[in-house]
Amino acid sequence: MSIAENIGQVEVNIDTACEKSGRERSSVKLIAVSKTKPLSMLEEAYTYGCRDFGENKVQELTEKYEQLPKDIRWHMIGHLQRNKVKYLIGKVFLIHSVDSLRLAEEISKESVKKQVTTDILVEVNVAKEDTKFGLYTEQAADLVEQISKLPGIAVKGLMTIAPYVDDPEENRIYFKSLKQLSVDIMRKNIDNVCMDILSMGMTGDYQVAVEEGASYVRVGTGIFGERQYSV
Ligand SMILES: *Cc1c(COP(=O)(O)O)cnc(C)c1O
């Protein structure tokens, strides 16, 4: 299947999940996760109408940013090192992977320098997997509150990467608990914080994530095919 057909299929699946759960289709956005994929494939997705792309490496994101149309919204979804933050600010639309105050402080500092406000999500390791970055659920509210006091950075919601499973239903509890956490944090009414965005769901489980309230789903393989990592 072509990239356009793949995106079409993902869109249909999102439609179905919205209908099933009584959600507005417009409340869910698809991010085409294009890491490791060549520009030609991103261009094909762009031609089909994709404007949201996700990358997990700063250098790859900024290189693609330079070469593709400027109306693309770039999402940084991978683990972010503080020394690379400066290259991203002003180019990235949303950083999904903030998991420490030190990283948030760096984003704040560089954003103030460039006189922009950078929107971020706090990454939560809901399933407490050792192999994953992100805070535990219990730590998230405190970090959100600390970040809310920094200039040049705005918390817009939460992100999680659910475990790799064969049956996506197994991840439903994790999507539910990220949603619940966002409701709990919203109730705290912290200044400068909004909890509008829930970034959750990947190729294997995005329909379930949509049913549980995802506002962004991040789909790579389901659009561009398997990734090849050279060794
Ligand atoms: C690679 C990646 C995705 C996309 O994964 P697929 O299973 O290929 O859809 C989504 N989110 C994050 C954080 C990723 O690193």
Side-chain angles (χ1 to χ4, degrees):
M1 287 222 292
S2 70
I3 288 171
E5 285 170 320
N6 288 341
I7 298 171
Q9 186 58 55
V10 172
E11 295 281 359
V12 167
N13 293 341
I14 294 174
D15 291 349
T16 307
C18 284
E19 273 164 35
K20 203 170 148 189
S21 52
R23 297 189 58 198
E24 294 275 350
R25 178 61 186 83
S26 59
S27 66
V28 186
K29 294 195 188 84
L30 172 61
I31 298 174
V33 176
S34 48
K35 62 192 187 197
T36 78
K37 298 296 179 184
L39 286 178
S40 60
M41 291 180 96
L42 281 74
E43 280 160 352
E44 207 176 323
Y46 181 91
T47 303
Y48 187 75
C50 265
R51 292 296 178 273
D52 291 275
F53 289 88
E55 291 285 339
N56 68 341
K57 295 216 162 66
V58 172
Q59 192 181 345
E60 194 174 340
L61 188 154
T62 54
E63 279 173 15
K64 287 173 172 170
Y65 170 93
E66 297 304 337
Q67 297 182 67
L68 289 171
K70 290 294 170 282
D71 61 342
I72 290 177
R73 294 177 289 268
W74 291 99
H75 297 259
M76 176 61 190
I77 62 175
H79 184 64
L80 180 54
Q81 287 167 315
R82 281 179 298 142
N83 61 356
K84 304 238 171 98
V85 165
K86 57 177 175 290
Y87 305 113
L88 213 50
I89 300 307
K91 297 179 178 167
V92 73
F93 175 73
L94 182 64
I95 301 175
H96 292 230
S97 45
V98 175
D99 61 357
S100 74
L101 184 59
R102 273 157 47 107
L103 175 59
E105 283 168 344
E106 186 66 22
I107 294 169
S108 167
K109 192 184 91 190
E110 290 297 329
S111 301
V112 168
K113 220 190 262 178
K114 292 203 171 75
Q115 299 186 311
V116 296
T117 298
T118 302
D119 290 342
I120 64 113
L121 306 178
V122 166
E123 179 173 354
V124 186
N125 181 357
V126 192
K128 292 197 159 80
E129 290 182 286
D130 298 340
T131 51
K132 297 241 164 84
F133 293 103
L135 297 156
Y136 289 164
T137 304
E138 311 80 68
Q139 306 167 307
D142 280 346
L143 181 63
V144 168
E145 194 149 13
Q146 287 168 321
I147 296 175
S148 73
K149 301 187 176 104
L150 301 173
I153 181 170
V155 181
K156 296 292 179 188
L158 305 175
M159 178 270 221
T160 197
I161 305 174
Y164 187 80
V165 289
D166 287 327
D167 177 6
E169 284 299 330
E170 288 176 44
N171 282 338
R172 191 179 291 277
I173 51 164
Y174 300 124
F175 299 141
K176 269 192 205 297
S177 71
L178 193 72
K179 170 76 190 183
Q180 185 57 50
L181 178 61
S182 80
V183 171
D184 293 343
I185 293 176
M186 202 171 59
R187 289 212 178 106
K188 292 179 186 278
N189 276 321
I190 307 167
D191 278 350
N192 305 317
V193 167
C194 94
M195 281 287 133
D196 288 351
I197 298 180
L198 281 184
S199 169
M200 58 189 195
M202 307 173 27
T203 296
D205 55 19
Y206 65 90
Q207 290 104 318
V208 175
V210 168
E211 287 169 25
E212 297 303 332
S215 42
Y216 277 116
V217 292
R218 311 177 305 264
V219 179
T221 311
I223 293 176
F224 298 109
E226 295 285 336
R227 284 175 294 274
Q228 237 113 67
Y229 291 99
S230 47
V231 280

